[in-house]
Amino acid sequence: MIELDSPTFTVDAADEGEGVQINVICLDGRSSRYVLSGRESQHYFEFFRDLHRDFGTRLPHFFAEPRAFPETPASWQPLLTENASPRILAGYGDPAVLKADQGYYLLATSNDAADAFPILHSEDLLRWEHKGFVFPEGEQPEWTAKGRHVGDFWAPEMTRVGDEYWVAYTARQKSNALAIGLARASSPEGPFVDNGAPLITGETINTTGVPNGALSGGVIDSHIFTDADGTNYLFWKDDRNGIWPRPLAMLLREKPELIDKIFERSEDRLSAAFAAAVVPWANTRRPMERFFLMTGIIEAAIENWQRVKKSLIEFGLADAILDAMTTPIRVQRIAPDGRSLVGENKVVLTNDLDWEGHLIEGPFCTLQNGRYWLFYAGNDFGTPSYGIGVAVADNLFGPYRKQGEPLLKSTRSWTAPGHASVAPGLDGNPQLFFHAFHPGSGGYNAFRALLTTRLRFVEDSVELA
């Protein structure tokens, strides 16, 4: 058991069977004991709901009163609204659709499921058949971390290159750092053979999240784009957004007087104080559980994003934290054999619009009407603030000009639309494929449905058709 303290809370926590026991004492004398039956996001959301009830901390977003969302556009068409196989555990997050000679193929995130990356096939985009997995249980690449609560397999995408089908994907290395791998097969249904090592890696991070004085969370969300001349390029995101919450909490633990200056509302101040109290224990947990434990301060910071950044700048504090609040999208050429990157990478997009909050991710580039259209997701994936943006450029390496508002955002029927891909529809015109949560749902391993909408590209913008 590890005992933690802060000016507002004292917290001690310990594993209890498959779950966790957390004891919280407030300096005003109030105390409460919480027993979590598991360690998934929903268990921590329920914990923060109860913490709000007992101590007045921030209520997690989907326990709050429903926001007034607009009606779902008629162009949004749900395609998959339940798991097509009992071996698919969390639906179709980060969906990548490829139109091949044999019809349409869909790959999706599998998180920490035993089988990595479901493969589904359809002739008409309406009826989908589960064909297997890129990496069935026991066949994940040697360099990856595997197993429930250990591995994370995210954002696969399949591209045809010559006579091969390449799948670029994100996986957690055994060091816990996220990396991007590449596997190939002669058929879109596999079997896939991995390169044997990551195509690109981020820095390995220690339990504090601060390696050599800098913050790096690895690399995720790979997208292979084939240009008109046949050259292949890799887009990806520097995954920093999962790193800043704990260093921010540690900073507030060391300087608790900053809490009142950075956060205005009482519930946000209390959430920041709790994060400061629990962060030493959070630093000892697995990567996703560290993220879950920072729920309160993440949601408080996102809602007060400009104030938080302005305050850190004003007080001349934590340049590394501020740097981690920017998530660059990069692009670099892939060697013809798909086993390395060549030349220099270039940052083509960062989060600089208010609606994007602390991140952009999930890049997908498509060449339409002679211009490069870069779709991306912004804000926190598990909240209704998540949405899909788009930027356009005359050159693959930019400069890209963003549309000022998200192209897709939460509606009454579907929340947190994100991480899109583009493929020709049955009529040959481009369609956007994306995931979304059912209302009132969200978080890691929560089900995400597959939806589509037709697109219309005009000179300087893209519209829903």
Side-chain angles (χ1 to χ4, degrees):
M1 184 175 289
I2 300 173
E3 184 170 330
L4 319 167
D5 60 75
S6 79
T8 303
F9 293 107
T10 297
V11 179
D12 67 69
D15 290 329
E16 185 167 286
E18 293 297 313
V20 175
Q21 176 183 305
I22 303 175
N23 299 315
V24 180
I25 303 173
C26 187
L27 288 193
D28 65 8
R30 291 175 295 161
S31 65
S32 191
R33 173 178 176 268
Y34 306 91
V35 178
L36 286 63
S37 59
R39 304 171 195 173
E40 296 289 354
S41 60
Q42 67 268 25
H43 301 115
Y44 280 99
F45 282 136
E46 291 166 358
F47 162 69
F48 281 105
R49 176 198 60 197
D50 295 343
L51 196 71
H52 162 79
R53 177 197 64 206
D54 296 336
F55 296 100
T57 55
R58 185 181 182 89
L59 183 66
H61 71 274
F62 57 73
F63 293 120
E65 288 295 320
R67 287 161 52 182
F69 295 119
E71 291 286 352
T72 302
S75 62
W76 289 27
Q77 181 182 9
L79 299 179
L80 281 165
T81 58
E82 59 184 21
N83 289 320
S85 163
R87 294 170 66 185
I88 299 174
L89 303 184
Y92 311 100
D94 313 323
V97 173
L98 172 70
K99 190 175 189 304
D101 294 340
Q102 306 92 326
Y104 291 91
Y105 284 92
L106 165 69
L107 301 185
T109 280
S110 54
N111 295 332
D112 58 353
D115 303 288
F117 307 134
I119 305 171
L120 292 93
H121 175 261
S122 177
E123 293 287 348
D124 58 7
L125 295 177
L126 298 176
R127 293 177 291 273
W128 293 85
E129 181 182 1
H130 179 226
K131 291 292 188 179
F133 296 89
V134 174
F135 301 125
E137 184 174 7
E139 297 182 23
Q140 292 91 341
E142 174 59 30
W143 62 267
T144 64
K146 311 166 188 67
R148 200 72 169 166
H149 301 158
V150 177
D152 290 300
F153 289 85
W154 299 340
E157 183 183 291
M158 183 158 52
T159 305
R160 183 168 183 172
V161 179
D163 294 330
E164 293 184 322
Y165 291 87
W166 290 2
V167 171
Y169 64 92
T170 299
R172 199 171 292 282
Q173 300 174 87
K174 294 175 181 177
S175 66
N176 276 333
L178 293 168
I180 290 169
L182 190 146
R184 67 195 70 217
S186 59
S187 163
E189 298 179 18
F192 286 89
V193 177
D194 188 69
N195 277 351
L199 184 63
I200 181 173
T201 65
E203 293 179 49
T204 300
I205 59 173
N206 60 23
T207 56
T208 67
V210 186
N212 303 319
L215 296 180
S216 174
V219 290
I220 69 168
D221 288 357
S222 51
H223 160 59
I224 298 176
F225 172 76
T226 303
D227 209 349
D229 64 359
T231 305
N232 293 302
Y233 296 87
L234 186 77
F235 285 82
W236 75 89
K237 166 201 169 186
D238 287 357
D239 188 47
R240 301 176 182 176
N241 54 278
I243 300 301
W244 64 261
R246 287 180 296 119
L248 177 59
M250 287 158 46
L251 172 66
L252 299 180
R253 182 181 177 87
E254 295 168 4
K255 300 179 182 293
E257 68 275 11
L258 293 177
I259 292 175
D260 288 352
K261 296 176 181 178
I262 293 176
F263 296 100
E264 187 174 17
R265 297 169 61 189
S266 173
E267 63 179 20
D268 293 336
R269 291 173 175 175
L270 288 167
S271 292
F274 176 80
V278 81
V279 68
W281 188 69
N283 287 337
T284 70
R285 313 303 288 173
R286 68 184 176 97
M288 288 307 300
E289 199 171 359
R290 298 172 199 163
F291 182 76
F292 303 154
L293 279 159
M294 293 293 107
T295 292
I297 196 171
I298 290 171
E299 293 197 7
I302 289 171
E303 188 162 308
N304 300 275
W305 191 243
Q306 295 306 323
R307 179 186 174 98
V308 170
K309 292 184 72 173
K310 182 180 179 181
S311 297
L312 290 173
I313 294 169
E314 179 182 343
F315 299 121
L317 297 167
D319 286 345
I321 295 175
L322 285 166
D323 185 59
M325 290 176 170
T326 301
T327 56
I329 300 293
R330 301 179 186 269
V331 63
Q332 189 170 353
R333 187 160 61 91
I334 305 174
D337 64 0
R339 298 186 182 276
S340 62
L341 302 181
V342 295
E344 299 295 323
N345 73 69
K346 182 178 179 181
V347 174
V348 292
L349 224 56
T350 60
N351 51 315
D352 53 13
L353 298 178
D354 284 349
W355 77 264
E356 297 163 348
H358 67 311
L359 69 87
I360 57 173
E361 60 189 9
F364 191 99
C365 187
T366 180
L367 185 60
Q368 303 286 341
N369 301 336
R371 307 187 79 188
Y372 297 88
W373 303 82
L374 184 55
F375 292 85
Y376 64 93
N379 219 295
D380 191 88
F381 86 99
T383 75
S385 297
Y386 202 53
I388 295 173
V390 64
V392 63
D394 294 316
N395 184 285
L396 177 68
F397 289 93
Y400 283 87
R401 185 186 62 80
K402 293 179 180 177
Q403 293 186 188
E405 296 296 326
L407 178 68
L408 276 66
K409 54 188 178 182
S410 291
T411 71
R412 294 181 187 177
S413 303
W414 300 101
T415 62
H419 203 129
S421 58
V422 178
L426 296 172
D427 59 3
N429 293 319
Q431 289 187 208
L432 194 72
F433 297 86
F434 59 97
H435 71 239
F437 291 107
H438 291 289
S441 179
Y444 188 76
N445 274 333
F447 178 85
R448 288 182 280 186
L450 172 69
L451 293 91
T452 189
T453 183
R454 291 181 174 85
L455 299 174
R456 180 188 301 113
F457 294 87
V458 295
E459 184 176 351
D460 290 314
S461 64
V462 61
E463 304 169 349
L464 304 186

PDB file of all heavy atoms in Angstrom, residues 347-368:
ATOM      1  N   VAL A 347       6.373  18.279 -39.912  1.00  0.00           N
ATOM      2  CA  VAL A 347       5.111  18.531 -39.221  1.00  0.00           C
ATOM      3  C   VAL A 347       4.190  19.270 -40.185  1.00  0.00           C
ATOM      4  O   VAL A 347       4.553  20.321 -40.716  1.00  0.00           O
ATOM      5  CB  VAL A 347       5.325  19.368 -37.950  1.00  0.00           C
ATOM      6  CG1 VAL A 347       3.973  19.744 -37.331  1.00  0.00           C
ATOM      7  CG2 VAL A 347       6.170  18.598 -36.941  1.00  0.00           C
ATOM      8  N   VAL A 348       3.006  18.716 -40.425  1.00  0.00           N
ATOM      9  CA  VAL A 348       2.069  19.332 -41.361  1.00  0.00           C
ATOM     10  C   VAL A 348       0.833  19.900 -40.672  1.00  0.00           C
ATOM     11  O   VAL A 348       0.097  20.679 -41.278  1.00  0.00           O
ATOM     12  CB  VAL A 348       1.630  18.329 -42.454  1.00  0.00           C
ATOM     13  CG1 VAL A 348       2.813  17.994 -43.363  1.00  0.00           C
ATOM     14  CG2 VAL A 348       1.036  17.065 -41.850  1.00  0.00           C
ATOM     15  N   LEU A 349       0.597  19.507 -39.411  1.00  0.00           N
ATOM     16  CA  LEU A 349      -0.602  19.980 -38.713  1.00  0.00           C
ATOM     17  C   LEU A 349      -0.359  19.895 -37.208  1.00  0.00           C
ATOM     18  O   LEU A 349       0.323  18.977 -36.734  1.00  0.00           O
ATOM     19  CB  LEU A 349      -1.796  19.095 -39.080  1.00  0.00           C
ATOM     20  CG  LEU A 349      -3.148  19.737 -39.405  1.00  0.00           C
ATOM     21  CD1 LEU A 349      -3.028  20.750 -40.520  1.00  0.00           C
ATOM     22  CD2 LEU A 349      -4.164  18.666 -39.748  1.00  0.00           C
ATOM     23  N   THR A 350      -0.889  20.850 -36.447  1.00  0.00           N
ATOM     24  CA  THR A 350      -0.908  20.772 -34.986  1.00  0.00           C
ATOM     25  C   THR A 350      -2.271  21.254 -34.493  1.00  0.00           C
ATOM     26  O   THR A 350      -3.055  21.817 -35.253  1.00  0.00           O
ATOM     27  CB  THR A 350       0.194  21.639 -34.335  1.00  0.00           C
ATOM     28  OG1 THR A 350      -0.010  23.004 -34.708  1.00  0.00           O
ATOM     29  CG2 THR A 350       1.582  21.181 -34.765  1.00  0.00           C
ATOM     30  N   ASN A 351      -2.529  21.043 -33.218  1.00  0.00           N
ATOM     31  CA  ASN A 351      -3.802  21.494 -32.622  1.00  0.00           C
ATOM     32  C   ASN A 351      -3.676  22.977 -32.254  1.00  0.00           C
ATOM     33  O   ASN A 351      -2.986  23.332 -31.307  1.00  0.00           O
ATOM     34  CB  ASN A 351      -4.181  20.647 -31.414  1.00  0.00           C
ATOM     35  CG  ASN A 351      -3.052  20.514 -30.405  1.00  0.00           C
ATOM     36  OD1 ASN A 351      -1.905  20.271 -30.762  1.00  0.00           O
ATOM     37  ND2 ASN A 351      -3.370  20.658 -29.131  1.00  0.00           N
ATOM     38  N   ASP A 352      -4.355  23.827 -33.024  1.00  0.00           N
ATOM     39  CA  ASP A 352      -4.285  25.268 -32.776  1.00  0.00           C
ATOM     40  C   ASP A 352      -5.645  25.949 -32.857  1.00  0.00           C
ATOM     41  O   ASP A 352      -5.731  27.178 -32.833  1.00  0.00           O
ATOM     42  CB  ASP A 352      -3.308  25.940 -33.752  1.00  0.00           C
ATOM     43  CG  ASP A 352      -3.619  25.623 -35.206  1.00  0.00           C
ATOM     44  OD1 ASP A 352      -4.720  25.103 -35.494  1.00  0.00           O
ATOM     45  OD2 ASP A 352      -2.756  25.892 -36.068  1.00  0.00           O
ATOM     46  N   LEU A 353      -6.722  25.158 -32.945  1.00  0.00           N
ATOM     47  CA  LEU A 353      -8.077  25.709 -32.916  1.00  0.00           C
ATOM     48  C   LEU A 353      -8.732  25.368 -31.577  1.00  0.00           C
ATOM     49  O   LEU A 353      -8.460  24.309 -31.000  1.00  0.00           O
ATOM     50  CB  LEU A 353      -8.927  25.135 -34.053  1.00  0.00           C
ATOM     51  CG  LEU A 353      -8.448  25.434 -35.479  1.00  0.00           C
ATOM     52  CD1 LEU A 353      -9.372  24.755 -36.486  1.00  0.00           C
ATOM     53  CD2 LEU A 353      -8.373  26.931 -35.737  1.00  0.00           C
ATOM     54  N   ASP A 354      -9.599  26.229 -31.089  1.00  0.00           N
ATOM     55  CA  ASP A 354     -10.205  26.018 -29.772  1.00  0.00           C
ATOM     56  C   ASP A 354     -10.921  24.671 -29.670  1.00  0.00           C
ATOM     57  O   ASP A 354     -10.839  23.981 -28.645  1.00  0.00           O
ATOM     58  CB  ASP A 354     -11.197  27.144 -29.457  1.00  0.00           C
ATOM     59  CG  ASP A 354     -10.498  28.438 -29.062  1.00  0.00           C
ATOM     60  OD1 ASP A 354      -9.276  28.412 -28.840  1.00  0.00           O
ATOM     61  OD2 ASP A 354     -11.186  29.472 -28.980  1.00  0.00           O
ATOM     62  N   TRP A 355     -11.648  24.267 -30.731  1.00  0.00           N
ATOM     63  CA  TRP A 355     -12.445  23.044 -30.627  1.00  0.00           C
ATOM     64  C   TRP A 355     -11.567  21.802 -30.526  1.00  0.00           C
ATOM     65  O   TRP A 355     -12.009  20.765 -30.028  1.00  0.00           O
ATOM     66  CB  TRP A 355     -13.407  22.916 -31.803  1.00  0.00           C
ATOM     67  CG  TRP A 355     -12.810  22.458 -33.115  1.00  0.00           C
ATOM     68  CD1 TRP A 355     -12.399  23.244 -34.139  1.00  0.00           C
ATOM     69  CD2 TRP A 355     -12.584  21.101 -33.544  1.00  0.00           C
ATOM     70  NE1 TRP A 355     -11.924  22.487 -35.186  1.00  0.00           N
ATOM     71  CE2 TRP A 355     -12.029  21.162 -34.839  1.00  0.00           C
ATOM     72  CE3 TRP A 355     -12.801  19.851 -32.960  1.00  0.00           C
ATOM     73  CZ2 TRP A 355     -11.671  20.017 -35.564  1.00  0.00           C
ATOM     74  CZ3 TRP A 355     -12.445  18.702 -33.674  1.00  0.00           C
ATOM     75  CH2 TRP A 355     -11.892  18.798 -34.962  1.00  0.00           C
ATOM     76  N   GLU A 356     -10.294  21.903 -30.963  1.00  0.00           N
ATOM     77  CA  GLU A 356      -9.402  20.740 -30.966  1.00  0.00           C
ATOM     78  C   GLU A 356      -8.860  20.419 -29.582  1.00  0.00           C
ATOM     79  O   GLU A 356      -8.391  19.296 -29.342  1.00  0.00           O
ATOM     80  CB  GLU A 356      -8.236  20.993 -31.927  1.00  0.00           C
ATOM     81  CG  GLU A 356      -8.658  21.151 -33.372  1.00  0.00           C
ATOM     82  CD  GLU A 356      -7.585  21.785 -34.243  1.00  0.00           C
ATOM     83  OE1 GLU A 356      -6.592  22.320 -33.696  1.00  0.00           O
ATOM     84  OE2 GLU A 356      -7.744  21.763 -35.470  1.00  0.00           O
ATOM     85  N   GLY A 357      -8.885  21.392 -28.662  1.00  0.00           N
ATOM     86  CA  GLY A 357      -8.389  21.142 -27.327  1.00  0.00           C
ATOM     87  C   GLY A 357      -6.944  20.701 -27.300  1.00  0.00           C
ATOM     88  O   GLY A 357      -6.084  21.279 -27.970  1.00  0.00           O
ATOM     89  N   HIS A 358      -6.670  19.627 -26.552  1.00  0.00           N
ATOM     90  CA  HIS A 358      -5.289  19.225 -26.299  1.00  0.00           C
ATOM     91  C   HIS A 358      -4.724  18.260 -27.332  1.00  0.00           C
ATOM     92  O   HIS A 358      -3.592  17.788 -27.151  1.00  0.00           O
ATOM     93  CB  HIS A 358      -5.183  18.593 -24.908  1.00  0.00           C
ATOM     94  CG  HIS A 358      -5.908  17.287 -24.755  1.00  0.00           C
ATOM     95  ND1 HIS A 358      -7.210  17.098 -25.152  1.00  0.00           N
ATOM     96  CD2 HIS A 358      -5.507  16.100 -24.231  1.00  0.00           C
ATOM     97  CE1 HIS A 358      -7.570  15.865 -24.872  1.00  0.00           C
ATOM     98  NE2 HIS A 358      -6.559  15.231 -24.318  1.00  0.00           N
ATOM     99  N   LEU A 359      -5.471  17.986 -28.421  1.00  0.00           N
ATOM    100  CA  LEU A 359      -4.895  17.040 -29.376  1.00  0.00           C
ATOM    101  C   LEU A 359      -5.597  17.087 -30.714  1.00  0.00           C
ATOM    102  O   LEU A 359      -6.765  17.466 -30.838  1.00  0.00           O
ATOM    103  CB  LEU A 359      -4.970  15.610 -28.845  1.00  0.00           C
ATOM    104  CG  LEU A 359      -6.354  14.944 -28.730  1.00  0.00           C
ATOM    105  CD1 LEU A 359      -6.766  14.257 -30.033  1.00  0.00           C
ATOM    106  CD2 LEU A 359      -6.386  13.949 -27.598  1.00  0.00           C
ATOM    107  N   ILE A 360      -4.847  16.691 -31.740  1.00  0.00           N
ATOM    108  CA  ILE A 360      -5.409  16.189 -32.993  1.00  0.00           C
ATOM    109  C   ILE A 360      -4.770  14.840 -33.258  1.00  0.00           C
ATOM    110  O   ILE A 360      -3.660  14.559 -32.798  1.00  0.00           O
ATOM    111  CB  ILE A 360      -5.202  17.157 -34.180  1.00  0.00           C
ATOM    112  CG1 ILE A 360      -3.711  17.456 -34.391  1.00  0.00           C
ATOM    113  CG2 ILE A 360      -6.003  18.423 -33.984  1.00  0.00           C
ATOM    114  CD1 ILE A 360      -3.430  18.266 -35.647  1.00  0.00           C
ATOM    115  N   GLU A 361      -5.456  13.974 -34.004  1.00  0.00           N
ATOM    116  CA  GLU A 361      -4.966  12.612 -34.234  1.00  0.00           C
ATOM    117  C   GLU A 361      -5.705  12.006 -35.414  1.00  0.00           C
ATOM    118  O   GLU A 361      -6.509  12.657 -36.090  1.00  0.00           O
ATOM    119  CB  GLU A 361      -5.166  11.763 -32.980  1.00  0.00           C
ATOM    120  CG  GLU A 361      -6.613  11.632 -32.537  1.00  0.00           C
ATOM    121  CD  GLU A 361      -6.755  10.966 -31.172  1.00  0.00           C
ATOM    122  OE1 GLU A 361      -5.738  10.758 -30.500  1.00  0.00           O
ATOM    123  OE2 GLU A 361      -7.896  10.660 -30.785  1.00  0.00           O
ATOM    124  N   GLY A 362      -5.416  10.729 -35.690  1.00  0.00           N
ATOM    125  CA  GLY A 362      -6.134   9.999 -36.728  1.00  0.00           C
ATOM    126  C   GLY A 362      -6.057  10.615 -38.108  1.00  0.00           C
ATOM    127  O   GLY A 362      -7.084  10.774 -38.766  1.00  0.00           O
ATOM    128  N   PRO A 363      -4.860  10.967 -38.621  1.00  0.00           N
ATOM    129  CA  PRO A 363      -4.787  11.604 -39.942  1.00  0.00           C
ATOM    130  C   PRO A 363      -5.154  10.639 -41.067  1.00  0.00           C
ATOM    131  O   PRO A 363      -4.832   9.451 -41.015  1.00  0.00           O
ATOM    132  CB  PRO A 363      -3.318  12.025 -40.043  1.00  0.00           C
ATOM    133  CG  PRO A 363      -2.584  11.026 -39.199  1.00  0.00           C
ATOM    134  CD  PRO A 363      -3.513  10.737 -38.052  1.00  0.00           C
ATOM    135  N   PHE A 364      -5.832  11.168 -42.091  1.00  0.00           N
ATOM    136  CA  PHE A 364      -6.104  10.410 -43.315  1.00  0.00           C
ATOM    137  C   PHE A 364      -6.110  11.402 -44.468  1.00  0.00           C
ATOM    138  O   PHE A 364      -6.914  12.331 -44.485  1.00  0.00           O
ATOM    139  CB  PHE A 364      -7.435   9.663 -43.252  1.00  0.00           C
ATOM    140  CG  PHE A 364      -7.604   8.682 -44.393  1.00  0.00           C
ATOM    141  CD1 PHE A 364      -7.343   7.337 -44.211  1.00  0.00           C
ATOM    142  CD2 PHE A 364      -8.004   9.122 -45.658  1.00  0.00           C
ATOM    143  CE1 PHE A 364      -7.477   6.440 -45.273  1.00  0.00           C
ATOM    144  CE2 PHE A 364      -8.145   8.235 -46.713  1.00  0.00           C
ATOM    145  CZ  PHE A 364      -7.869   6.874 -46.525  1.00  0.00           C
ATOM    146  N   CYS A 365      -5.211  11.180 -45.437  1.00  0.00           N
ATOM    147  CA  CYS A 365      -5.064  12.088 -46.571  1.00  0.00           C
ATOM    148  C   CYS A 365      -5.647  11.454 -47.839  1.00  0.00           C
ATOM    149  O   CYS A 365      -5.455  10.258 -48.089  1.00  0.00           O
ATOM    150  CB  CYS A 365      -3.583  12.415 -46.791  1.00  0.00           C
ATOM    151  SG  CYS A 365      -3.284  13.690 -48.042  1.00  0.00           S
ATOM    152  N   THR A 366      -6.370  12.242 -48.593  1.00  0.00           N
ATOM    153  CA  THR A 366      -6.920  11.783 -49.869  1.00  0.00           C
ATOM    154  C   THR A 366      -6.701  12.860 -50.923  1.00  0.00           C
ATOM    155  O   THR A 366      -6.813  14.053 -50.636  1.00  0.00           O
ATOM    156  CB  THR A 366      -8.418  11.440 -49.738  1.00  0.00           C
ATOM    157  OG1 THR A 366      -8.925  10.994 -51.002  1.00  0.00           O
ATOM    158  CG2 THR A 366      -9.239  12.624 -49.276  1.00  0.00           C
ATOM    159  N   LEU A 367      -6.364  12.438 -52.136  1.00  0.00           N
ATOM    160  CA  LEU A 367      -6.139  13.357 -53.255  1.00  0.00           C
ATOM    161  C   LEU A 367      -7.432  13.473 -54.044  1.00  0.00           C
ATOM    162  O   LEU A 367      -7.912  12.505 -54.626  1.00  0.00           O
ATOM    163  CB  LEU A 367      -5.004  12.830 -54.134  1.00  0.00           C
ATOM    164  CG  LEU A 367      -4.547  13.710 -55.294  1.00  0.00           C
ATOM    165  CD1 LEU A 367      -4.043  15.059 -54.808  1.00  0.00           C
ATOM    166  CD2 LEU A 367      -3.450  12.990 -56.095  1.00  0.00           C
ATOM    167  N   GLN A 368      -8.020  14.666 -54.037  1.00  0.00           N
ATOM    168  CA  GLN A 368      -9.291  14.906 -54.720  1.00  0.00           C
ATOM    169  C   GLN A 368      -9.189  16.232 -55.474  1.00  0.00           C
ATOM    170  O   GLN A 368      -8.740  17.238 -54.909  1.00  0.00           O
ATOM    171  CB  GLN A 368     -10.448  14.992 -53.712  1.00  0.00           C
ATOM    172  CG  GLN A 368     -10.623  13.770 -52.827  1.00  0.00           C
ATOM    173  CD  GLN A 368     -11.231  12.578 -53.546  1.00  0.00           C
ATOM    174  OE1 GLN A 368     -11.848  12.717 -54.607  1.00  0.00           O
ATOM    175  NE2 GLN A 368     -11.053  11.389 -52.972  1.00  0.00           N
TER     176      GLN A 368
END
